């Protein structure tokens, strides 16, 4: 059967005539020869049609997003499409595509109907729905449409484009501590900064509650983009507004819209993890780390459901008498495929994903169960220390669950110690202090872990209701160095803490020289490989039963 494709010529249509079909050896139609095109089609397609081009060449050049060939075959079979639309980067116009088969002439009529005016009317109508009332910028919906068109145009004209996602740092904390009006003002301040940079090739959007998106096009080089991004960041610094930003580039990073968005978000996430108030450009390594973290998070979920975590216990000793003070509970994770995974790797990921809350519940319950068992078997009067994440501590039901565990297992609360880090002070200082006071009022001890690693440790000591302070291993490592700097600092800390009525535990004690100096400085307790490594329950149980050889040492 000979099939020709034709179109009607009028002032709103851009026609194409396609003639003699090309068939394979089986007689199946595999292509068409175009026998006529008018000027409107050439403009819409954005290229000059060659002599006797094939339909596949035409459809590939105009866009691959429309199933042109299938539409032609369906038209022959009497099936029609009424919702196919095409944006021409060449004419900057929207067209509705219609195909109709004329059996008598054996033609398919293909019509490009210009619907730009119609779409413009609906665009104005839609603008009220896609405009953020607070900032006047288009919202996330408007961004999606604009970004798609921008990338199509950039692809056609072969110029570069970039996406900058700007995330306001700590906006939730501002809302919680100062009220929503203060948070709204920060959003408006960010919008004012960005408005300074709005140009024909720079489009700005309210991307989310605390996020803005900036589409940048037609820049000459990577250096010119970097300079422009630096100007935006400097403008925020000048206004003393803390923001984190991520940048992805077309086509350098990818040509796919969704990937460009995801890559920019990854870069924002990287900026957040590296101290906030900075802009980062997407790099492939970020995606590798993201996939690695995603895999690890999936396995962590499985480990939690399958009870694959184990609890180890590291002993602590009185530095003067050498007697056992108690144990610190330490979670361990071994995966059959990945091997042993360090807590330094999976704990931050668990905090980021929220899994730290159920994991923390398991650690706390397991530690209290162990304390109950050792109390019954050995009349154990030592202390069990449990690390509690700031996220876990600030959960609404944490205190209730802690009280219920104490009552359920009937353990002496004075033998339980909650270890916290300075991180509890970051998000909600008032709530954290109130909860720690309640914990201490229950008779449970409170210890500040990793002292000396933060920037405001001394000021925290005056506010937190503490019993114990743990001096970080970073101080102990160089305590015996010849310059004596770390020794002087450590001694000062111990003297100060002693005057405050707090006990001190030195972490990471690994040799006798360190132990002797700490003894001289009147440190109360030591914890480290010199006296005992983290051990599984069975070895700790054997040690408490009287087997001194069960203790793992350096």
């Amino acid at each position: 059967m000979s099939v020709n494709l034709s179109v009607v010529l009028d002032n709103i249509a851009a026609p194409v005539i396609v003639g003699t079909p090309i068939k394979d050896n089986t007689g199946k139609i595999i292509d068409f020869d175009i026998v006529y095109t008018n000027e409107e089609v050439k403009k819409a397609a954005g290229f000059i049609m060659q002599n006797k081009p094939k339909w596949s060449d035409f459809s590939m050049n105009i866009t691959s997003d429309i199933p042109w060939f299938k539409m032609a075959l369906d038209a022959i079979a009497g099936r029609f499409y009424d919702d196919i639309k095409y944006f021409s980067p060449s004419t900057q116009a929207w067209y509705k595509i219609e195909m109709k088969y004329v059996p008598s002439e054996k033609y398919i009529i293909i019509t490009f109907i210009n619907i730009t005016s119609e779409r413009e009317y609906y665009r104005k109508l839609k603008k009220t729905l896609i405009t953020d009332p607070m900032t006047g910028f288009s919202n996330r919906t408007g961004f999606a449409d604009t970004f798609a068109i921008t990338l199509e145009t950039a692809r056609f004209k072969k110029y570069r484009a970039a996406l900058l996602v700007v995330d306001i740092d700590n906006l939730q904390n501002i809302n919680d501590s100062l009220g929503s009006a203060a948070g709204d003002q920060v959003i408006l301040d960010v919008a004012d900064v960005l408005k300074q940079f709005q140009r024909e090739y720079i489009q700005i959007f309210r991307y989310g509650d605390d996020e803005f998106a900036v589409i940048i096009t037609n820049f000459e080089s990577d250096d010119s983009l970097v300079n422009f991004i630096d100007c935006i960041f400097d403008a925020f610094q000048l206004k003393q507004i803390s923001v984190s930003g991520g940048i992805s580039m077309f086509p350098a990073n990818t040509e796919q819209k969704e990937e460009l968005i995801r890559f920019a978000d990854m870069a924002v996430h990287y900026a957040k993890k590296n101290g906030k108030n900075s802009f980062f450009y997407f790099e492939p390594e970020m995606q590798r780390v993201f996939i690695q973290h995603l895999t690890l998070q999936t396995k962590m979920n499985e480990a939690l459901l399958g009870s694959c975590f184990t609890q180890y216990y590291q002993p602590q000793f009185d530095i003067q008498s050498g007697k056992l003070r108690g144990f610190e509970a330490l979670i361990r994770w071994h995966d059959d495929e990945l091997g042993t995974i360090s807590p330094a790797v999976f704990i931050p990921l668990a905090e980021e994903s929220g899994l730290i809350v159920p994991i923390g519940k398991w650690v706390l319950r397991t530690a209290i169960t162990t304390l109950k068992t050792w109390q019954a078997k050995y009349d154990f009067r030592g202390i069990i220390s449990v690390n509690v994440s700031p996220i876990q501590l600030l959960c609404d039901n944490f205190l209730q669950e802690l009280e219920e565990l104490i009552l359920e297992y009937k353990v002496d609360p004075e033998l339980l110690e909650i270890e916290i880090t300075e991180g509890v002070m970051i998000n909600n200082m008032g709530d954290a202090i109130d909860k720690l006071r309640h914990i201490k009022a229950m008779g449970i001890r409170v210890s500040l872990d990793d002292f000396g690693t933060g920037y405001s440790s001394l000021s925290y000591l005056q506010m937190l209701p503490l019993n114990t302070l743990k001096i970080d291993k970073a101080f102990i490592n160089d305590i015996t160095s010849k310059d004596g700097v770390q020794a002087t600092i450590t001694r000062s800390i111990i003297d100060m803490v002693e005057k405050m009525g707090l006990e001190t535990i030195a972490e990471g004690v690994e040799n006798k020289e360190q132990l002797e100096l700490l003894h001289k400085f009147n440190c109360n307790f030591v914890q480290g490989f010199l006296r005992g490594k983290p051990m599984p329950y069975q070895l700790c149980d054997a040690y408490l039963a009287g087997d001194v050889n069960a203790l793992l040492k350096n």
Side-chain angles (χ1 to χ4, degrees), residues 216-227:
I216 309 161
T217 56
N218 208 28
F219 50 90
E220 295 180 355
S221 65
D222 288 349
D223 287 341
S224 63
L225 174 66
V226 170
N227 291 335

Side-chain angles (χ1 to χ4, degrees), residues 55-232:
W55 174 252
S56 56
D57 296 328
F58 169 79
S59 61
M60 183 182 303
N61 276 277
I62 191 167
T63 181
S64 60
D65 292 336
I66 295 176
W68 297 102
F69 189 71
K70 185 177 186 304
M71 287 176 67
L73 295 179
D74 285 347
I76 294 172
R79 295 186 293 270
F80 304 100
Y81 296 76
D82 60 3
D83 61 347
I84 301 299
K85 296 178 178 62
Y86 165 65
F87 175 78
S88 169
S90 177
T91 60
Q92 292 289 296
W94 280 94
Y95 298 92
K96 179 180 179 181
I97 310 299
E98 291 185 352
M99 286 191 182
K100 182 181 179 182
Y101 178 52
V102 183
S104 60
E105 301 294 332
K106 296 183 179 179
Y107 285 161
I108 291 179
I109 301 175
I110 305 173
T111 309
F112 285 60
I113 303 174
N114 192 319
I115 58 171
T116 305
S117 298
E118 177 185 340
R119 285 183 64 92
E120 181 65 18
Y121 169 78
Y122 284 107
R123 186 192 67 79
K124 291 178 180 178
L125 189 63
K126 183 181 176 183
K127 188 174 181 180
T128 59
L129 300 176
I130 66 171
T131 300
D132 173 50
M134 179 182 292
T135 63
F137 293 138
S138 291
N139 59 22
R140 196 183 191 99
T141 302
F143 164 81
D145 292 342
T146 303
F147 197 40
I149 294 174
T150 298
L151 294 184
E152 282 295 327
T153 304
R155 188 179 290 110
F156 171 74
K157 294 187 176 181
K158 293 181 171 52
Y159 61 58
R160 304 176 185 186
L163 173 63
L164 164 65
V165 174
V166 177
D167 187 290
I168 304 172
D169 293 331
N170 307 316
L171 182 62
Q172 186 61 51
N173 295 341
I174 294 172
N175 286 328
D176 291 342
S177 58
L178 301 177
S180 59
D184 289 348
Q185 186 58 54
V186 173
I187 293 171
L188 291 172
D189 290 343
V190 171
D192 287 341
V193 170
L194 291 174
K195 281 176 184 175
Q196 303 174 35
F197 299 94
Q198 204 163 22
R199 304 287 189 278
E200 180 183 357
Y201 295 111
I202 301 162
Q203 302 175 80
I204 302 167
F205 304 83
R206 177 83 183 278
Y207 191 58
D209 290 341
D210 55 0
E211 283 187 319
F212 291 80
V214 183
I215 300 174
I216 309 161
T217 56
N218 208 28
F219 50 90
E220 295 180 355
S221 65
D222 288 349
D223 287 341
S224 63
L225 174 66
V226 170
N227 291 335
F228 177 70
I229 296 294
D230 286 346
C231 287
I232 294 179

Side-chain angles (χ1 to χ4, degrees), residues 325-382:
R325 175 188 188 259
F327 298 89
E328 179 182 2
L330 300 167
I331 188 172
R332 293 293 183 263
W333 179 22
H334 181 85
D335 181 78
D336 291 339
E337 182 181 350
L338 301 178
T340 299
I341 303 166
S342 169
V345 172
F346 74 81
I347 291 297
L349 183 59
E351 291 183 324
E352 182 180 316
S353 64
L355 284 174
I356 194 65
V357 174
I359 289 174
K361 289 180 181 178
W362 177 85
V363 170
L364 189 58
R365 177 176 288 274
T366 303
I368 291 176
T369 302
T370 299
L371 177 58
K372 175 66 175 179
T373 301
W374 287 345
Q375 279 183 329
K377 289 176 68 174
Y378 309 115
D379 193 25
F380 177 70
R381 298 299 299 171

Side-chain angles (χ1 to χ4, degrees), residues 259-320:
E259 286 189 343
L260 283 164
I261 296 171
R262 189 168 73 251
F263 290 169
D265 285 339
M266 284 183 192
V268 171
H269 181 73
Y270 197 82
K272 294 282 188 182
K273 289 189 66 175
N274 284 270
K276 302 181 180 180
N277 198 29
S278 58
F279 284 4
F280 278 83
Y281 292 81
F282 171 78
E283 296 178 1
E285 175 67 9
M286 294 179 186
Q287 187 176 26
R288 188 194 67 79
V289 171
F290 175 80
I291 293 173
Q292 183 185 60
H293 282 186
L294 193 63
T295 301
L296 203 59
Q297 183 176 326
T298 301
K299 284 186 168 290
M300 202 177 340
N301 268 303
E302 294 170 353
L304 187 61
L305 293 172
S307 302
C308 297
F309 293 108
T310 55
Q311 194 105 293
Y312 274 52
Y313 299 88
Q314 186 171 20
Q316 301 166 338
F317 292 93
D318 188 299
I319 202 169
Q320 306 295 332

